[in-house]
Amino acid sequence: MATSAKRGRPGVVLTVFLLIIVGLYLIMGLTKTWAPKLGLDLQGGQTITLTATSENVTPESLELARNIIQQRVDGLGVGEATVAVQGDRRIVVSAPNVTSDDLVELVGATAQLSFRPVLQSGAGTGPSDDADAVPGLPTPAPSPEPSASADGPSVDNEQLSIDEVLAYTATEEDLENFANFVCGDTVVDDPSRAIVACDDEGTYKYLLGPTAVLGTELDTAAYGIPTGDLSYVVTLSLKSTGAEQFKQLTGALLDKTSPENLFAIVLDGIVESAVEPQVQITNGEAQISGSFTADSAASLANVLKYGSLPVSFEPSQVETVSATLGGEQLRVGIIAGLIGIAAVALYSFIYYRGMGIVVVASLVVAASATYAMMVLLGSAVGFSLSLAGIAGAIVGIAVTADSFVIYFERIRDEIRDGRSLRSSLVSGWEKARGTIIISDAVSLLSAVILFIVAIGSVKGFAFTLGLTTMIDLAVVFFFTKPLVQLLGRTKFFGEGHKWSGLDAEHMGVSRDSLLGRRLRRRTPVTHDVTATQTTQEA
């Protein structure tokens, strides 16, 4: 029984692992996604040019804006987006696998967030019908600088205390502005004044009190589907000052009647959500709900998380760009990968003979798992395969080959040390296991660091290298090792056939040593007794 427990159940492990890979392809079938998303260099994408509305922009502000936009587009997934400064006022953003509208909405948003109490609400006037707006481009955000217009209100950007905000009541001027407001009109987001704003669809319009909590009090943002719910929400976590203001705001609204028991979450002059607090929120955790999709929720969370732009931009041009490298380079990259796999397989059959079957089978399984993960990650997190990513996958083949060499050579060393073949299959794995883990851990650590510090296509290389390294670990532990254990129980491999790669002559040991046989000494006692009896008889 002890021997059985030690040997484990390699057949069960092998079967479960293969079923998991089959499950990945079933998911691909259910989602009807059979090909990975391609990067900008292989497929092309959308390019948007942002021009600063101010004539005088410092290089530091432009570079800071470029970094924020880069973080926003990278936050959509492991894309191959590029963000570059052009001249002294422009930023050019190129990204694959996104529509022009989504890209414009993501990079053009200024992300001015505020929480305001609702003073009045009513039916909206529908979406804006601004004929001057360029199709697909957002209306430029209002400048936070004081208005130069004599007719418009001035902006002092001074936030009132939370007690003053809660005590604020709508004036006649506020009610008149509310009555005359048309959804789509420019909203000057002055935190010290009441404003009128509509929701995204223009279905409702709201008269909102002064800002109770500024967006600068936002600590972090995320998105997801809450437990027990079916739709996406964006969750916000506020800093200590904002959490205290939010606590007082929600506590005061509990005693009021509709619509004054609501507070609005306002983003760039649009009411994202009007919320009725059911309890006083004391921990600073807020939530934006609405008709979010996964992409729109991710975009909003990224915009909030990575902050507002230091410079106001006006999208000036959106165009579709073709692939910079094209399908020919993709074909060459795939051929290079196949040549690499073939070279590893050929070397394995020449040097390890029958054990080359294990190498080929493991490479096929690793390639199948890698392809399925690339396809599914493209749908889940926006992973895009670029030429750099293909290079990372080819390097992953070398990592997988290293694992085979370490495992097989350990088995051979054990046999040369006098152990039997079947015993060496077990002890060889035990000694190779630690080396394989350390080797893959070094590769994985390098990939993680490179992914964190790199941008653009280099990030894709690091992600692919890390993915293939983790898959290599899974394949070696749950496919290669149990397969070798099973083959060791067959006559061809277990008795060291000359074509198995484990034969005695190839290992430089005797066949008896390979099979664990020991020579038996004849017992001299029998001969002595017989000799004594013979002497007595004589």
Side-chain angles (χ1 to χ4, degrees):
M1 294 298 290
T3 303
S4 176
K6 186 177 181 179
R7 293 173 64 186
R9 298 177 181 275
V12 175
V13 175
L14 199 62
T15 302
V16 172
F17 184 72
L18 292 177
L19 286 177
I20 291 175
I21 294 180
V22 172
L24 295 178
Y25 280 86
L26 287 177
I27 296 175
M28 290 168 56
L30 292 175
T31 57
K32 297 180 180 179
T33 307
W34 297 104
K37 290 183 177 179
L38 299 180
L40 193 65
D41 54 349
L42 300 176
Q43 179 179 268
Q46 303 292 330
T47 293
I48 177 174
T49 302
L50 301 173
T51 303
T53 55
S54 174
E55 294 289 341
N56 300 318
V57 181
T58 63
E60 292 78 13
S61 298
L62 205 60
E63 181 60 23
L64 178 59
R66 189 200 69 78
N67 287 332
I68 292 174
I69 293 175
Q70 181 76 63
Q71 290 173 335
R72 287 182 181 179
V73 294
D74 286 347
L76 287 178
V78 192
E80 302 295 330
T82 60
V83 183
V85 175
Q86 186 180 77
D88 55 356
R89 292 178 57 204
R90 292 181 178 176
I91 291 179
V92 179
V93 185
S94 301
N97 303 310
V98 295
T99 65
S100 58
D101 289 345
D102 290 342
L103 183 60
V104 167
E105 183 177 353
L106 177 65
V107 303
T110 53
Q112 299 295 331
L113 180 72
S114 62
F115 297 79
R116 292 172 176 264
V118 175
L119 303 177
Q120 190 64 264
S121 66
T125 56
S128 171
D129 189 23
D130 187 356
D132 296 330
V134 180
L137 298 183
T139 303
S143 169
E145 300 297 330
S147 171
S149 171
D151 299 330
S154 62
V155 179
D156 56 22
N157 285 325
E158 291 290 336
Q159 184 185 9
L160 303 180
S161 69
I162 187 64
D163 293 332
E164 292 175 314
V165 172
L166 297 177
Y168 187 90
T169 57
T171 64
E172 292 186 4
E173 182 184 2
D174 294 335
L175 296 174
E176 183 179 354
N177 291 335
F178 176 70
N180 297 330
F181 188 84
V182 176
C183 292
D185 287 352
T186 299
V187 179
V188 180
D189 197 359
D190 184 347
S192 64
R193 295 175 179 271
I195 65 170
V196 184
C198 295
D199 61 6
D200 192 28
E201 300 295 329
T203 306
Y204 297 97
K205 67 176 180 180
Y206 301 89
L207 174 61
L208 307 174
T211 297
V213 183
L214 285 171
T216 52
E217 289 299 319
L218 180 66
D219 185 27
T220 186
Y223 75 100
I225 301 177
T227 304
D229 206 342
L230 298 176
S231 57
Y232 282 92
V233 300
V234 177
T235 56
L236 311 175
S237 178
L238 298 169
K239 300 174 184 175
S240 57
T241 302
E244 180 60 28
Q245 294 169 335
F246 200 66
K247 174 184 175 181
Q248 295 186 47
L249 173 65
T250 54
L253 296 183
L254 292 176
D255 298 329
K256 297 187 177 182
T257 57
S258 180
E260 295 184 347
N261 60 342
L262 304 174
F263 71 87
I265 302 174
V266 187
L267 180 68
D268 291 342
I270 296 176
V271 176
E272 295 293 335
S273 182
V275 184
E276 178 185 356
Q278 302 299 314
V279 295
Q280 185 177 27
I281 300 176
T282 59
N283 59 0
E285 302 291 336
Q287 179 175 292
I288 304 176
S289 59
S291 302
F292 287 119
T293 63
D295 290 340
S296 62
S299 297
L300 178 57
N302 288 331
V303 168
L304 296 174
K305 183 163 56 178
Y306 297 121
S308 58
L309 300 178
V311 182
S312 295
F313 288 96
E314 183 178 10
S316 56
Q317 185 178 10
V318 178
E319 60 182 354
T320 301
V321 296
S322 58
T324 55
L325 295 176
E328 179 62 21
Q329 278 69 21
L330 175 61
R331 189 178 67 83
V332 172
I334 293 175
I335 291 175
L338 293 176
I339 291 176
I341 293 175
V344 172
L346 180 62
Y347 170 81
S348 301
F349 276 115
I350 293 175
Y351 193 73
Y352 293 112
R353 300 182 184 179
M355 294 296 285
I357 296 174
V358 179
V359 176
V360 173
S362 298
L363 287 176
V364 169
V365 170
S368 301
T370 301
Y371 184 80
M373 290 300 296
M374 286 180 175
V375 173
L376 295 177
L377 289 174
S379 301
V381 299
F383 168 73
S384 299
L385 182 63
S386 66
L387 201 59
I390 294 175
I394 294 175
V395 173
I397 296 174
V399 175
T400 303
D402 283 346
S403 301
F404 295 138
V405 172
I406 293 171
Y407 186 16
F408 293 164
E409 289 303 321
R410 279 295 185 185
I411 293 174
R412 291 185 165 201
D413 288 344
E414 291 296 297
I415 293 174
R416 293 189 184 103
D417 287 344
R419 287 181 177 273
S420 68
L421 193 155
R422 296 197 177 189
S423 173
S424 297
L425 294 179
V426 177
S427 59
W429 166 252
E430 292 174 349
K431 293 184 177 179
R433 181 174 52 199
T435 307
I436 292 173
I437 291 176
I438 293 173
S439 175
D440 282 356
V442 172
S443 296
L444 189 60
L445 180 62
S446 302
V448 170
I449 294 175
L450 191 59
F451 181 80
I452 293 173
V453 302
I455 60 174
S457 60
V458 180
K459 189 182 284 288
F461 171 84
F463 184 85
T464 310
L465 178 60
L467 176 66
T468 52
T469 302
M470 288 190 290
I471 290 176
D472 170 59
L473 274 175
V475 169
V476 169
F477 272 75
F478 304 119
F479 181 82
T480 306
K481 182 253 183 178
L483 181 60
V484 170
Q485 300 295 321
L486 287 176
L487 291 178
R489 299 176 185 178
T490 64
K491 183 178 180 181
F492 183 81
F493 289 95
E495 295 186 2
H497 190 279
K498 66 178 182 179
W499 290 109
S500 68
L502 299 172
D503 60 295
E505 183 179 356
H506 197 60
M507 297 292 106
V509 297
S510 67
R511 183 167 178 78
D512 287 336
S513 174
L514 184 72
L515 299 179
R517 297 171 182 168
R518 297 183 183 278
L519 294 176
R520 295 181 179 177
R521 295 179 180 177
R522 293 184 177 181
T523 307
V525 177
T526 304
H527 297 291
D528 293 343
V529 172
T530 304
T532 304
Q533 290 175 342
T534 304
T535 303
Q536 291 173 350
E537 289 173 357

